[in-house]
DNA sequence: ACCAGGTATAGGAATGCCCTATGGATGTGC
DNA sequence: GCACATCCATAGGGCATTCCTATACCTGGT
């Protein structure tokens, strides 16, 4: 009886899926799969029913769950037993706009978990802070940079817009197109520059700051815009995203931190960034 | 944080010694030693003070102990959660005399632990039974034999007896020596045979059945006897044990069980015998 | 002075875990 | 209707952890 299997069981139980549990535990799916099979073998009873949409616990699985939680948490408590809580480390983190609330909260959650009693304060990236989550283009020379995410940008069009019938859109086709302008945004500035150089007109219908409002206005047919190609944006039915030909707008987002005298409490954040970046790199090549 | 380390910690705590814990856990001493060091490293505090006579728990060790017990027992409970108790398997075990109460109870304890809900009945080896713990010489042809222990026999003398000043005793020196005769005992019968063949007299002061009483009478100076060379007998200060020259009396004790239709519930007992026999074999060569 | 009993360390073998790759089954979108 | 995506299970190789033996070191007892 291994506590590792129990933790995997807990994750699978709470996720309702072996694959999701694997993502949550940062291991590959077969690890959870075989561990659960071994646990069922060891206990002599099936714990889950497998089906296409995931798994549902059997009655035995439901009986095991609270006990497994108990053991797992007791073990964690032992780990903290002699861990004299250090005074909270204040960390001021500057966050640029348009980071993607979902992935950013996941990152912060993990950071707080891994860090040792952090007191996180989120501020604008221009303010004084210990580190900044920003696009690579905004680095200043005294800063080091740890990449986290790679965002490529797409032209966002309302559903049914003529340009949306094409797989890609050329720069010339943007001439005179009404735009929802998001500000500040390096990608939009690049677009403005490109339009200007090509002698194309740029018609701005609205200026605003958040991606969410931008998408709402795009969906309402007020105009087009430029948004990062995040899965949850690409999945929206009311907005269609198309790459702009010959205008590969990318942005690398990461942690910028002072090259000298960086706070040691940043280490887990940098490690998380390294992991996410490596993960994306693997996905890109595979 | 691994439950393995916690179990080692529990064994060390309860044994008061790393070496004893290793024996109890059936692992080598360095395994416990390094596991404890790792646990202390992990928790960031020493758990034991090491000294020449063993170890004593620190205050932190004492705090950890009940929690470790809790987790360990909860985990065991999970292991038994879906283990529908099978109906008790009755096993009649025939036990010859003079097996050595200590090692025999250890063996039975382990057997009951490993077996699946056994109902053990101990009887004399002549009675009907599923298996017998006997000397190899008492095997009948329909039985298989799994050796467990190898006993060699010594002449037991009261402390200060003239013969005890010698490292060994010759057969001739036993002529006319008063004896405490233990019965039944294959070794004593071999001795009687040897004395008889050499034409030596044998003077019997008492006849009895148990080794404990025998040793009491030997210590009281009533006479000599022949006893197995077990560590706890050799360690007695009131009795001195000497090998008899040219008379290597040995006995192999083990499990005798029917060659056909042996109860499957005997398997753990045979496994235990195999382990003990291998262990002794290693000790003899090393 | 040597031996016995205790713990710590070093190095090699084996067991087990994790990962990648792949197969099978079943909904989903065009 | 057919390709595709998702999810779980299985196979095989690489690697980390654990175990063991052998040995060093220390101290108390003979």
């Amino acid at each position: 009886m291994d506590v590792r299997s129990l933790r995997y069981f807990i994750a699978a139980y709470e996720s309702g899926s072996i694959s999701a549990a694997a993502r949550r535990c940062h291991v590959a799916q077969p690890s959870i799969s075989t561990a659960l099979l071994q646990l069922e073998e060891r206990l002599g009873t099936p714990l889950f029913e497998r089906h296409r949409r995931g798994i549902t616990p059997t009655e035995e699985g439901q009986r095991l769950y609270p006990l497994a939680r108990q053991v797992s948490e007791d073990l964690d408590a032992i780990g903290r037993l002699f861990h004299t809580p250090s005074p909270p480390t204040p960390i001021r983190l500057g966050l640029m706009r348009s980071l993607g609330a979902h992935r950013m909260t996941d990152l912060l959650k993990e950071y707080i978990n891994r860090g040792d009693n952090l007191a996180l304060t989120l501020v604008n990236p221009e303010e004084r802070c210990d580190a900044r989550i920003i696009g690579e283009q905004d680095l200043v020379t005294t800063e080091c940079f740890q990449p986290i995410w790679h965002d490529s940008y797409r032209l966002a069009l309302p559903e049914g817009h003529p340009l949306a019938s094409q797989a890609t859109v050329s720069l010339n086709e943007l001439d005179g197109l009404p735009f929802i302008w998001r500000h500040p945004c390096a990608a939009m500035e690049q677009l403005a520059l490109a339009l200007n150089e090509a002698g194309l007109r740029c018609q701005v219908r609205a200026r605003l700051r958040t991606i969410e409002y931008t998408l709402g206005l795009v969906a309402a047919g007020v105009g087009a815009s430029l948004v990062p190609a995040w899965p949850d944006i690409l999945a929206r039915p009311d907005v269609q995203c198309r790459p702009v030909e010959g205008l590969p707008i990318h942005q690398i987002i990461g942690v910028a931190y002072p090259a000298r005298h960086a706070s040691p409490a940043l280490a887990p954040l940098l490690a998380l960034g390294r992991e996410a970046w490596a993960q994306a790199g693997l996905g890109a090549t595979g």
Side-chain angles (χ1 to χ4, degrees), chain A residues 15 27 29 40 82 86 101 112 132 176 200 216 223 250 271 278:
Chain A
S15 311
V27 296
Q29 167 260 321
E40 292 176 326
F82 305 109
S86 46
I112 290 174
R132 316 191 295 155
L200 302 173
H250 302 282

Side-chain angles (χ1 to χ4, degrees), chain A residues 8-278:
Chain A
Y8 286 172
F9 166 80
I10 291 170
Y13 187 99
E14 294 177 350
S15 311
S17 147
I18 292 184
S19 301
R23 286 189 290 273
R24 184 169 134 180
C25 297
H26 305 108
V27 296
Q29 167 260 321
S31 295
I32 310 271
S33 185
T34 58
L36 288 184
L37 288 173
Q38 283 172 10
L39 188 60
E40 292 176 326
E41 170 79 13
R42 168 76 179 73
L43 296 179
T45 181
L47 297 170
F48 294 104
E49 285 168 8
R50 278 79 165 168
H51 39 84
R52 21 240 150 275
R53 310 283 299 178
I55 55 180
T56 53
T58 61
E59 192 180 323
E60 289 83 3
Q62 294 174 34
R63 251 183 39 229
L64 175 59
Y65 175 66
L67 301 173
R69 280 288 300 262
Q70 173 89 32
V71 168
S72 172
E73 282 166 16
D74 284 356
L75 215 52
D76 289 345
I78 285 181
R80 286 188 297 268
L81 230 194
F82 305 109
H83 194 272
T84 58
S86 46
T89 310
I91 287 284
R92 291 172 67 89
L93 210 55
L95 261 50
M96 74 180 278
R97 295 188 173 276
S98 309
L99 283 170
H102 195 256
R103 68 184 186 184
M104 194 59 214
T105 51
D106 279 355
L107 184 73
L108 290 178
K109 196 177 65 180
E110 272 289 315
Y111 178 35
I112 290 174
N113 275 344
R114 291 204 198 177
D116 183 14
N117 201 8
L118 297 176
L120 223 54
T121 306
L122 305 182
V123 300
N124 287 325
E126 306 81 25
E127 302 182 33
R128 178 187 59 75
C129 53
D130 299 294
R132 316 191 295 155
I133 313 283
I134 56 173
E136 199 179 14
Q137 72 284 344
D138 292 332
L139 263 182
V140 301
T141 54
T142 58
E143 285 178 318
C144 293
F145 188 69
Q146 167 61 54
I148 304 177
W149 301 302
H150 183 145
D151 286 342
S152 70
Y153 281 74
R154 300 285 161 81
L155 183 71
L157 299 162
E159 194 204 357
H161 189 282
L163 287 177
S165 62
Q166 312 168 202
T168 65
V169 177
S170 73
L171 198 58
N172 285 332
E173 291 170 314
L174 300 185
D175 188 32
L177 194 68
F179 265 98
I180 317 295
W181 208 257
R182 198 153 45 74
H183 180 83
C185 173
M188 301 231 63
E189 284 162 19
Q190 281 184 57
L191 176 63
L193 201 64
L195 290 173
N196 200 14
E197 282 181 357
L200 302 173
R201 290 163 302 155
C202 182
Q203 181 182 354
V204 174
R205 282 274 173 79
R207 300 191 113 88
L208 37 81
R209 310 181 79 93
T210 73
I211 291 185
E212 195 49 42
Y213 288 166
T214 303
L215 287 170
L217 290 186
V218 169
V222 177
S225 190
L226 207 59
V227 299
W230 298 335
D232 46 348
I233 294 183
L234 297 181
R236 285 179 69 132
D238 55 350
V239 171
Q240 315 229 289
C241 297
R242 297 287 179 273
V244 179
E245 266 170 53
L247 191 67
I249 303 188
H250 302 282
Q251 181 172 220
I252 292 178
I253 293 175
V255 193
Y257 57 99
R260 305 176 64 85
H261 310 300
S263 164
L266 288 175
L269 180 60
L270 298 174
L272 279 168
R274 216 158 23 234
E275 288 169 23
W277 186 249

